[in-house]
Amino acid sequence: MEIVRPIVQECFIPAQYTSSPEIIKNCLQEVLSEGMMYSQVSAPADNEDMTKKQRENIIKKHMEQFTTKYYESDRRWHSFLPDETHPRGMKPIAKRKWEDLEAVILAYYEEQEQANKRKKITLRTLYPEWFAYKWQDTNNSSYMNHIDGEWKRYYENDPIVDRPVVEFTTLELKNWARNKIITGKLNKKQYYNMAIIIRQSLEYLVELGELPCNHFAEFKIKASLFTPVIPKEAQQEVFTEDEEKKLKALAAAEFAEHPNRTAALAVLINFSLGLRVGELVALKWKDLKDSYLHIRRMEQKQYEQLENGKWKKHLEVVEHTKSDAGYRTLYVVSSSMELFDKVRETNLQNGYTCEAEDYIFMYRKHRITANSIDSHYERYCKQIGIAKKGNHKARKTALTKVADNPNINLKDAMEFAGHRDVKTFINHYCFSRYSDEQKRQELEKTLNV
């Protein structure tokens, strides 16, 4: 606590009163009550709004409760501070200068005030502040909308959010987490998404200095508690060779019948590019140079939280990709380059310019959206008679083809996909595209010696 220069004379007690401690006390109280005494202590860094009057009131109340005297015998100011560990319930303090004594007294009561504030902090009162702090770390409002949904689902009606966080224990939090997993039948990913709020909120308080430690980080959950995730069959994750052939035929037929529907061409093109649907619909003509396509932006859902707590959604093209790995340059095969030429020709016929900043896929003077692309897939799948599969399954299909090629390096395949994590790429983007009969035939060739 910083000591500042006194505004009044250092020896503000008249000399005739120094022989009588009681007269000194009365004099001090008189000076305080008249507002003549200026504080010698600056406000603590975390409470700069503390006024001179507030400091004076603290000192006045303290003097009413505890004897405060100046003793000529040791030429020091003496007083007391509450202390439950002391036999008398208070401990003596002494300073040679009044301003030093005042500083100790103010520091004590300031700490007590902060401690009382900490006792009142609950997850419910903290959540809006932490949520605002969390939003500073991301430009993805969709993610923040998801977090708010997790709050409403797992926390809003849970009694734990109204308990003071200073009372949390490691065992209590561990039991709470296990109960959430068991009752909600959560898998590992669902649990960690749910736990972000409580774990990071407590960590936030630690960073603020309001908590000594984060008890939620002091335990681990056994893997056996999580609900296992049953892997989906390959046929659900990619288009088989037969399905891809039929779907492409439908897309080509639609464009032949309706030449202004370039979304059908987008479907055909993406079976060789494997783009995320948001990347696909955000392509501009400047991104296509010679036989290479530069991925630099994407369509993203943006959310705005209204005053009533509800969220308003709109679509927006943002000048970044899903991750840093998403910035990539892809080779465009000759058949897809021909399709891009068809798109350009169609746009010009419909009166759209194809300048560098113009979007590639247009319909009725507007950029085609991700929803429009996925609706085409839904319609095609229904006509073929297969389960609904969207652009993301077409992306997985293209990436699986790349991964199947023994002459393509794994690192190159991951760069093509826009991934850096090998585990993610292998587990979620590499599938068998062969039918059971094809698999049997290949096993016969390989193993029937």
Side-chain angles (χ1 to χ4, degrees):
M1 184 170 291
E2 180 186 359
I3 305 298
V4 299
R5 293 180 59 85
I7 301 176
V8 296
Q9 291 185 3
E10 183 175 339
C11 298
F12 55 88
I13 305 299
Q16 63 266 33
Y17 294 131
T18 57
S19 60
S20 172
E22 290 302 319
I23 294 178
I24 292 174
K25 179 179 178 180
N26 292 335
C27 176
L28 282 171
Q29 290 179 336
E30 180 182 349
V31 173
L32 284 169
S33 63
E34 293 179 1
M36 296 169 59
M37 177 174 158
Y38 291 83
S39 173
Q40 312 300 313
V41 186
S42 65
D46 57 352
N47 191 12
E48 295 178 354
D49 295 331
M50 192 177 190
T51 65
K52 176 179 75 71
K53 190 66 176 177
Q54 288 174 328
R55 294 193 291 268
E56 291 173 355
N57 287 336
I58 290 173
I59 297 297
K60 182 178 180 179
K61 291 179 180 179
H62 176 83
M63 292 177 65
E64 291 173 352
Q65 184 176 1
F66 298 98
T67 302
T68 303
K69 294 181 180 181
Y70 180 82
Y71 288 96
E72 278 289 343
S73 58
D74 63 356
R75 294 183 178 275
R76 293 194 303 174
W77 286 93
H78 292 258
S79 187
F80 299 89
L81 287 177
D83 187 350
E84 295 180 357
T85 63
H86 199 278
R88 296 167 58 188
M90 57 184 180
K91 68 177 181 180
I93 55 174
K95 296 293 178 182
R96 194 162 297 279
K97 293 183 180 181
W98 165 258
E99 56 263 32
D100 292 342
L101 184 77
E102 186 187 39
V104 174
I105 294 172
L106 287 172
Y108 170 80
Y109 288 109
E110 181 65 20
E111 174 58 31
Q112 291 299 111
E113 182 182 355
Q114 293 301 319
N116 289 333
K117 288 181 179 179
R118 285 193 289 270
K119 290 179 181 179
K120 296 178 182 178
I121 297 176
T122 65
L123 286 176
R124 191 182 300 279
T125 60
L126 177 66
Y127 176 69
E129 179 181 339
W130 171 80
F131 189 80
Y133 171 78
K134 178 70 175 176
W135 208 326
Q136 296 174 14
D137 289 337
T138 179
N139 57 7
N140 190 345
S141 59
S142 179
Y143 174 58
M144 298 308 298
N145 174 55
H146 173 76
I147 286 181
D148 199 48
E150 296 288 279
W151 168 265
K152 291 180 173 64
R153 181 178 181 182
Y154 294 108
Y155 293 85
E156 197 168 50
N157 298 317
D158 194 307
I160 198 173
V161 302
D162 294 313
R163 291 197 59 243
V165 296
V166 294
E167 297 180 4
F168 288 163
T169 65
T170 304
L171 181 59
E172 175 189 6
L173 293 175
K174 184 177 183 179
N175 287 334
W176 177 84
R178 290 192 295 193
N179 183 62
K180 284 291 185 184
I181 294 170
I182 295 170
T183 58
K185 297 180 180 179
L186 305 182
N187 60 41
K188 190 174 182 179
K189 181 179 180 180
Q190 290 171 331
Y191 165 71
Y192 282 108
N193 286 339
M194 178 279 296
I196 282 176
I197 294 175
I198 189 168
R199 184 175 65 252
Q200 294 190 8
S201 291
L202 297 182
E203 190 60 38
Y204 173 64
L205 288 178
V206 172
E207 292 177 5
L208 289 177
E210 301 293 346
L211 276 181
C213 61
N214 180 2
H215 290 309
F216 202 86
E218 295 176 348
F219 63 86
K220 292 184 179 180
I221 299 294
K222 289 184 178 181
S224 59
L225 280 181
F226 297 119
T227 298
V229 178
I230 301 175
K232 294 181 180 180
E233 295 182 2
Q235 290 86 345
Q236 297 176 280
E237 294 298 298
V238 293
F239 289 93
T240 65
E241 290 182 336
D242 183 57
E243 291 171 348
E244 180 183 346
K245 183 178 179 179
K246 291 179 179 178
L247 190 143
K248 285 181 175 180
L250 288 175
E254 179 178 2
F255 179 73
E257 186 176 353
H258 305 281
N260 62 332
R261 296 184 183 177
T262 56
L265 296 183
V267 170
L268 291 172
I269 289 172
N270 208 34
F271 270 100
S272 68
L273 294 176
L275 299 180
R276 299 178 177 93
V277 67
E279 298 169 340
L280 179 66
V281 298
L283 291 175
K284 294 183 177 182
W285 287 110
K286 68 178 182 181
D287 301 326
L288 186 61
K289 298 177 182 179
D290 298 327
S291 294
Y292 289 90
L293 189 65
H294 304 272
I295 311 304
R296 297 293 183 268
R297 75 192 67 80
M298 66 179 182
E299 176 191 277
Q300 188 178 65
K301 294 177 183 178
Q302 299 288 357
Y303 290 84
E304 176 187 0
Q305 191 171 27
L306 306 178
E307 292 183 0
N308 60 6
K310 294 183 179 180
W311 292 80
K312 182 180 179 181
K313 181 183 73 173
H314 69 277
L315 296 177
E316 181 179 319
V317 173
V318 294
E319 294 298 322
H320 60 79
T321 57
K322 186 176 181 181
S323 67
D324 290 343
Y327 292 95
R328 59 202 191 276
T329 299
L330 307 179
Y331 175 71
V332 183
V333 296
S334 56
S335 59
S336 290
M337 283 299 298
E338 293 175 3
L339 292 175
F340 273 119
D341 289 338
K342 284 187 178 182
V343 175
R344 186 191 298 272
E345 181 182 346
T346 299
N347 285 356
L348 293 174
Q349 289 176 353
N350 289 327
Y352 309 141
T353 59
C354 295
E355 302 296 332
E357 291 295 334
D358 292 328
Y359 291 107
I360 293 179
F361 298 109
M362 302 286 293
Y363 183 66
R364 293 181 178 177
K365 300 181 180 181
H366 295 286
R367 175 184 64 84
I368 291 174
T369 65
N371 286 339
S372 177
I373 297 295
D374 277 329
S375 68
H376 278 69
Y377 279 100
E378 184 175 358
R379 181 155 40 84
Y380 296 152
C381 289
K382 188 174 181 180
Q383 289 178 257
I384 297 173
I386 62 175
K388 177 182 174 182
K389 297 178 184 179
N391 180 86
H392 196 56
K393 307 303 183 186
R395 167 172 161 79
K396 291 185 177 184
T397 302
L399 299 184
T400 293
K401 290 181 188 178
V402 174
D404 281 346
N405 190 327
N407 296 319
I408 296 179
N409 181 272
L410 176 60
K411 187 175 180 180
D412 290 336
M414 290 173 59
E415 185 177 344
F416 187 88
H419 285 154
R420 282 209 179 99
D421 183 33
V422 175
K423 185 177 178 180
T424 298
F425 181 72
I426 297 297
N427 289 344
H428 301 288
Y429 292 88
C430 298
F431 298 92
S432 171
R433 299 183 61 241
Y434 301 108
S435 66
D436 289 341
E437 179 58 31
Q438 288 174 310
K439 292 177 187 177
R440 285 193 290 269
Q441 291 176 6
E442 291 300 320
L443 288 173
E444 285 285 343
K445 295 178 185 177
T446 304
L447 301 176
N448 192 16
V449 179

